Amino acid sequence: MPKFSTHVALMNPEYQPANFGPGDDVPEWAIDLVGDHVLEPEAKDVSADASDFTGASDAPAGDEGKADGDSEDAGAGDSGDASDAADEASKASDDAPDFTAPAPARRGRPRKQ
């Protein structure tokens, strides 16, 4: 029998509120009223689902030997100078809003005070 994974409040067939907590069994009348997102996942047989670590890769053929985030030209422009780090720092500061700047002038009729 499925169990709830979170707190759930339902109206039972007698139109009375019914509250359930994590780990409570789902009654027969409530099975059609709740979605899978509030139910605990079914327990699987771990031995049958064991991963095969024989070296077979699920990655596409063109990505062999690359870690996540690596690109072909990642090492092409590495000169090691500090100006690259300074350029990146200035780009990051350009994206952040400047909270010390005065607010822009409002358009339209001024509000009553």
Side-chain angles (χ1 to χ4, degrees), residues 37-104:
H37 62 285
V38 297
L39 300 177
E40 289 183 353
E42 297 291 329
K44 291 189 213 177
D45 183 15
V46 178
S47 62
D49 192 31
S51 298
D52 181 21
F53 294 107
T54 59
S57 175
D58 293 339
D63 290 339
E64 291 179 9
K66 294 181 185 173
D68 290 340
D70 287 349
S71 63
E72 292 179 17
D73 60 346
D78 291 342
S79 61
D81 58 1
S83 65
D84 290 339
D87 289 342
E88 295 218 4
S90 67
K91 287 180 187 175
S93 66
D94 291 340
D95 294 340
D98 182 15
F99 292 109
T100 60

Side-chain angles (χ1 to χ4, degrees), residues 5-45:
S5 64
T6 186
H7 291 277
V8 178
L10 300 169
M11 294 295 281
N12 65 17
E14 291 86 33
Y15 297 104
Q16 299 296 320
N19 296 313
F20 301 97
D24 291 345
D25 289 332
V26 179
E28 292 292 325
W29 58 266
I31 290 177
D32 293 333
L33 299 176
V34 297
D36 293 339
H37 62 285
V38 297
L39 300 177
E40 289 183 353
E42 297 291 329
K44 291 189 213 177
D45 183 15

